[in-house]
Amino acid sequence: MNLDGSAVLHGSQDDVWRVLTDPEVLARTIPGCLSLSRVGEDSYRVDVAVGVGAVKGTYAGEVRLSDQQPPRSYVMHASGAGAPGNVRATVTIELTPSDEGTTTLTYSADAVVGGPVAGVGQRMITGVAKRMAGQFFTAVDAELTGAAAPRPSAAAVSSTDAAAPAPAAAPVPAPQVSTGTAAAAPSSDLRTLAVGAAGGAGLTLLGVVVGWLLGRRRD
Amino acid sequence: MTTKLFGEPVRRREDARLITGRGRYLDDIGAGALAAAFVRSPHAHARITDVDVEGALDVEGLVAIYTYEDLTGPMAEPLPVLIPHPQLHAPRTGHPLADGVVNHVGEPVVMVVATDRYVAEDAAERIVVSYEELPVVVGIDTARAAESCVHPDVPDNVAARHHQETGDVEPALAASPHTLTFTQTIERSACTPLEGKGVHARWDPDDGSLRVYSSTQASTSVRAAIAAKLELSLDRVEVIAPDVGGGFGVKIVHPWPEELLVPMAAMRLGREVKWAEDRREHFVSSAHERGQRQQVTVGFDDDGRLTALDVHVWHDNGAYTPYGIIVPIITATQLVGPYVIPVYRVVVESLYTNTVIVTPYRGAGRPQGCFAMERTMDRIADSLGLDRAEVRRRNLITPDQFPYDHHLTFQDGRPVVYDSGDYPGLLEKLTALVGWESVEERRAEATGRGKLLGAGMALYVEGTGPGPYEGGHVQVLGSGKVLVSTGLTSQGQGHETVFAQIVASELGVPMEDVEVHTGDTRRFGYAVGTFASRAAVMSGNAVALAARGVREKALRIAAEVLEADPSDLEIDEGLVQVKGTPGASIPLRTVAVLSNPLRYAFDEAAKQATQFATHDDTKPPVAPGDAPGLEHRDYYSPLRSTFASGAHAAVVEIDPQTWEIDVVQYAVVHDCGNVVNPMIVEGQVHGGVAQGVGGALYERMAYDADGQLQNASFMDFLVPYASEVPDVVIDHQQTPSPLNPLGIKGAGEAGVIPGSAALASAIEDAVGRRVAAMPISPSELYDLVRDDTAERTAASARRTGATA
């Protein structure tokens, strides 16, 4: 199923590209991001804790990027799975500059949702997805405008190419994740950064994708 | 014989369990289940513009939120029109969750599932549904005016136009020496069982099976509806009605949205899910009944004998018609009561309003029909200056006229042919029981005490026990236990007792050995349901036939053992014996053991049935056409309904200061054919009278013009307490039904039917003002007697004239 959405970000096309591909930034801005690791060429693993309702749980995501055309577009192949269910999606992301110095991020996706999470009702999923996307884009925009207060990332970010320790024991954060970070993740687990962590953004977008998908199921 | 229990006032065996907290009601099941709650429409008629769940997401324990968009396949289609009818030309039903438009306050819009009901309610409270309000249709007048409509494609708000006639009524009226035309109204009410509806569902993903408990009057049909709507094979679905805390009709409707949504959620979430209706939900999202306007034109001769009757009824069916036009049909056909009506025409227009659906409530349209007919009798008597009992007597069908064909078609599609009855007998017993002849003396005595006393009466005939069928299964175990199963459900009527009485009597076993199971599709898959006073008639006869089958087989097996002819055997106290030959006997439990040839002796009793214990080499152990086990299954399917009857009389005293109406005497003569258990029948009559008094004096649904139900709680919806229910004196008459083996007729609804008619008659007799609308409250009565334009009865004028 094809679906799309967009967000206006306060930065140039280059700045947005840079931020969206900066794993340190992403680790800070992805709501509930627990860890981010590179597992291969343009392939990443991301663990995200979602703290809302029946969607609550830790999702392990695999993301692969292709067709990268900096700073204009890339294609993300993402899958996320956790106890609540799984999602598989292909998302095309495009950045379009405007005359006002802002950049419009447009995404277009094709996705499949499965597992128990598919049974909790589309408005529930849509609600969670909207909230997470909103938090993510707000946080990214704050990075771009410098409004974000400097603070350490709560997420564990691994640079090892080999299998990083899976954060299996990552505690589930409190439901309110207003900063867009996993509040309960121990900061002592901080590791050096991986390159290109757009997968994190992808996983957040998955929330949007899921919501869209369920929202359009009957159309 | 000591086991002849049929007809005995055996104590209800279920009561010890039910009244000591050992009942197992819906909410006792699934303590760890997820709980559902519903966001329901606050508007009577509105378009849904948005559903915002954002606020609910932070509620800890929230599991799922469903709206119409989550419904797929048959679930997304409208709920079934359960009982289609050619005259229901515009049937409309809702969806399990509203599809863009709501048509009454209380219609479910969003389903929330959470870890418990508190959490579910908290989450539901935070969901914001935006509406665009639409014009509201409330009440029969507004519906008839049709300035706006409930359903856009039904602009006149008329769902059905039910029409029956037995001749050419207009010339008959024109030729009548006298005619009267008048209009009456009767208010809405509701069943209000103490236990509301409730559903629990458990899905087993491993074998793909669904078990549903529902507080229903029709478990087999709920099962079929769930299978159809959730696209499951029937054999994968079990539905069980546990102990049910009252039904009174509302739980015969199915599938309720919740009966589909709770199983749907259980399947999607892989968790047990439960919903138990709360009281406000019951008021605004279950069903109501009764609301009608009636226009009656009657022709009669100088003796008060009817010549023709023309009735037009406007019936408020609420927002949807899932139960078809059953209530209008029953009003139309049961209105004729015990009377000879040479020419009868009835038209019932069933109207849509933006209110809760209208489906049968104990009596199911009969109280309204009785109100029309009996008040007609009162008016004829008043206009001719005749005694009200005498006018009735002159119009009664006489015992030599049975079977009596009214040339009408009943709710079961079968002819209205009264099978048996003795209506003059009823009236004679009633006038004696209430002391009809001494009413004037009592009136004078009450006047001396400053009270206004009046007496009224009402007769009815009630079609009971409609088909199509019920079944029964009886099995004798090697332990001697007798298992009885029937598919219809129980809501406290005493089925465990009466079915046990019937089987114990038929089989000749102690009642303690008999165990009755009802409403469980695992035990009996074929059934119709418990409604229309049919359980005793239908399942009673079915279990009797099944017991007779068991008895026949038991005698055959015992005859071989005892080397006797089966016709020489009898069964008493669980012992099969040769009549008149003490000692030549075999226990029925041993017959049960022998009925099942065994290879393996798992206990002492089983040894008797093993292959070296039985020695007839000429036959196979199980003969062709025979089957192992001492059990039998049988069905009872009647040609048509059987017609019970009764007569009620009420004496009221009214305080002219407060206009409080005190029912000081209430007499009932009741005829339900052969009585299985007179104590249970009297209990049914008492309960019915209580609801009849409620309907006459207290119960109403106070909808405002916006469709808001203003008395949706037991704080504001009045029901009679023990203090308001009069002592009821009962006399029985038994005219057996020739239609069924046991000769019985239904009794469940009888008590409620004539309540409003008899009490209106009594109040009218007391105050001398025409009572044409029921229920009537003290303040309404006060307004009536102060209203100079209110019609005075001729009887009152005569009394006043006589005393002046």
Side-chain angles (χ1 to χ4, degrees), chain A residues 51-56 115-116 118-124 127-128 130-131 175-176 214-215 217-218, chain B residues 50-55 57-60 62-73 76 268-269:
Chain A
V52 185
V55 187
K56 180 185 286 184
V120 302
Q122 58 156 295
R123 291 200 187 249
M124 178 106 174
V128 174
K130 277 181 187 165
R131 173 181 288 187
Q176 284 284 8
L214 292 174
R217 187 188 273 171
R218 299 187 51 77
Chain B
D50 185 44
V51 178
D52 181 0
V53 304
E54 170 68 22
L57 298 176
D58 295 321
V59 176
E60 183 70 29
L62 173 68
V63 174
I65 298 173
Y66 301 110
T67 59
Y68 177 76
E69 288 73 18
D70 292 303
L71 307 182
T72 56
R268 291 199 185 175
L269 299 171

Side-chain angles (χ1 to χ4, degrees), chain B residues 175-495:
Chain B
S176 299
H178 309 275
T179 60
L180 286 170
T181 297
F182 58 95
T183 302
Q184 307 193 125
T185 58
I186 198 154
E187 248 289 5
R188 273 193 175 214
S189 186
C191 299
T192 59
L194 276 185
E195 184 201 27
K197 299 178 316 221
V199 188
H200 171 275
R202 187 170 74 198
W203 170 248
D204 184 336
D206 295 330
D207 70 355
S209 68
L210 182 69
R211 178 181 296 178
V212 178
Y213 291 91
S214 181
S215 187
T216 179
Q217 294 176 225
S219 52
T220 51
S221 194
V222 170
R223 176 197 193 198
I226 289 172
K229 283 289 187 181
L230 297 179
E231 299 179 279
L232 295 167
S233 175
L234 191 66
D235 67 292
R236 301 281 83 186
V237 183
E238 302 168 343
V239 175
I240 301 142
D243 283 324
V244 173
F248 309 112
V250 65
K251 295 174 183 175
I252 191 62
V253 181
H254 63 277
W256 287 102
E258 299 87 357
E259 284 177 318
L260 302 174
L261 293 167
V262 169
M264 180 196 83
M267 290 173 67
R268 291 199 185 175
L269 299 171
R271 303 273 302 275
E272 286 180 53
V273 181
K274 180 168 76 173
W275 168 77
E277 187 177 59
D278 67 29
R279 187 53 56 185
R280 181 176 159 74
E281 283 185 299
H282 187 78
F283 273 106
V284 300
S285 65
S286 286
H288 300 164
E289 218 243 90
R290 304 284 196 254
Q292 282 185 359
R293 166 157 305 176
Q294 310 171 333
Q295 183 178 294
V296 179
T297 300
V298 62
F300 51 98
D301 65 16
D302 295 340
D303 296 328
R305 287 192 173 81
L306 267 73
T307 51
L309 183 66
D310 190 16
V311 180
H312 197 132
V313 175
W314 291 271
H315 172 85
D316 177 354
N317 62 226
Y320 303 111
T321 49
Y323 212 71
I325 54 170
I326 289 300
V327 175
I329 295 173
I330 295 175
T331 295
T333 53
Q334 300 268 263
L335 188 146
V336 294
Y339 305 112
V340 174
I341 299 172
V343 185
Y344 174 53
R345 177 172 70 182
V346 61
V347 174
V348 187
E349 284 183 79
S350 195
L351 301 165
Y352 283 116
T353 58
N354 290 114
T355 58
V356 173
I357 60 168
V358 166
T359 64
Y361 161 28
R362 194 180 199 177
R366 296 178 186 86
Q368 300 96 308
C370 181
F371 187 58
M373 188 73 246
E374 291 300 306
R375 302 298 288 136
T376 300
M377 287 293 166
D378 287 342
R379 286 184 188 246
I380 292 171
D382 193 50
S383 78
L384 295 177
L386 293 169
D387 178 66
R388 286 168 287 167
E390 180 56 29
V391 169
R392 285 174 168 83
R393 184 176 294 116
R394 291 174 185 177
N395 284 286
L396 290 174
I397 296 162
T398 54
D400 59 345
Q401 289 178 284
F402 291 95
Y404 186 84
D405 189 349
H406 268 295
H407 302 288
L408 297 168
T409 302
F410 197 41
Q411 60 139 324
D412 54 2
R414 303 260 162 170
V416 178
V417 176
Y418 292 173
D419 48 336
S420 65
D422 179 1
Y423 307 144
L426 288 176
L427 186 58
E428 193 174 332
K429 283 176 184 284
L430 183 75
T431 51
L433 195 61
V434 77
W436 189 254
E437 302 303 325
S438 63
V439 166
E440 290 310 321
E441 291 162 36
R442 294 175 65 185
R443 193 195 312 277
E445 184 273 331
T447 305
R449 289 185 282 113
K451 295 289 176 68
L452 303 171
L453 181 141
M457 65 166 56
L459 280 61
Y460 67 91
V461 174
E462 178 197 10
T464 69
Y469 72 88
E470 287 297 335
H473 180 254
V474 175
Q475 180 180 22
V476 182
L477 301 183
S479 63
K481 181 194 268 189
V482 181
L483 293 176
V484 179
S485 184
T486 187
L488 60 61
T489 60
S490 300
Q491 301 90 48
Q493 297 93 332
H495 294 162

Side-chain angles (χ1 to χ4, degrees), chain B residues 97-156:
Chain B
L97 292 168
D99 177 19
V101 175
V102 287
N103 284 310
H104 68 83
V105 171
E107 191 162 1
V109 179
V110 184
M111 181 192 196
V112 176
V113 181
T115 46
D116 67 34
R117 183 62 176 267
Y118 300 98
V119 174
E121 294 284 355
D122 285 350
E125 194 179 86
R126 295 181 185 205
I127 291 171
V128 179
V129 183
S130 303
Y131 297 93
E132 176 192 329
E133 291 187 55
L134 298 169
V136 173
V137 179
V138 173
I140 286 169
D141 291 340
T142 313
R144 285 175 67 188
E147 285 171 12
S148 52
C149 57
V150 177
H151 302 287
D153 52 351
V154 189
D156 61 358

Side-chain angles (χ1 to χ4, degrees), chain A residues 30-206:
Chain A
I30 294 167
C33 180
L34 296 172
S35 76
L36 216 121
S37 60
R38 181 165 180 254
V39 293
E41 188 65 27
D42 290 330
S43 292
Y44 306 93
R45 178 188 166 121
V46 182
D47 290 294
V48 173
V50 178
V52 185
V55 187
K56 180 185 286 184
T58 303
Y59 293 77
E62 300 277 347
V63 177
R64 182 172 59 80
L65 303 183
S66 69
D67 306 291
Q68 298 187 57
Q69 296 182 344
R72 295 193 308 278
S73 69
Y74 58 93
V75 175
M76 182 174 65
H77 309 270
S79 63
N86 55 74
V87 182
R88 194 174 72 247
T90 303
V91 189
T92 302
I93 293 162
E94 290 184 355
L95 302 179
T96 312
S98 75
D99 295 342
E100 293 81 36
T102 60
T103 299
T104 301
L105 181 153
T106 311
Y107 59 88
S108 175
D110 185 16
V112 177
V113 183
V117 74
V120 302
Q122 58 156 295
R123 291 200 187 249
M124 178 106 174
I125 302 265
T126 310
V128 174
K130 277 181 187 165
R131 173 181 288 187
M132 289 181 65
Q135 287 169 353
F136 173 68
F137 288 126
T138 301
V140 167
D141 213 39
E143 295 282 343
L144 288 165
T145 58
R151 55 190 156 76
S153 168
V157 182
S158 168
S159 63
T160 49
D161 285 1
V172 175
Q176 284 284 8
V177 194
S178 57
T179 62
T181 60
S187 57
S188 59
D189 285 351
L190 268 176
R191 301 179 187 204
T192 49
L193 305 175
V195 291
L203 198 59
T204 290
L205 285 174
L206 278 179

Side-chain angles (χ1 to χ4, degrees), chain B residues 788-803:
Chain B
D788 291 337
T789 64
E791 185 188 350
R792 281 174 168 273
T793 62
S796 160
R798 279 190 290 273
R799 270 209 303 276
T800 313
T803 55

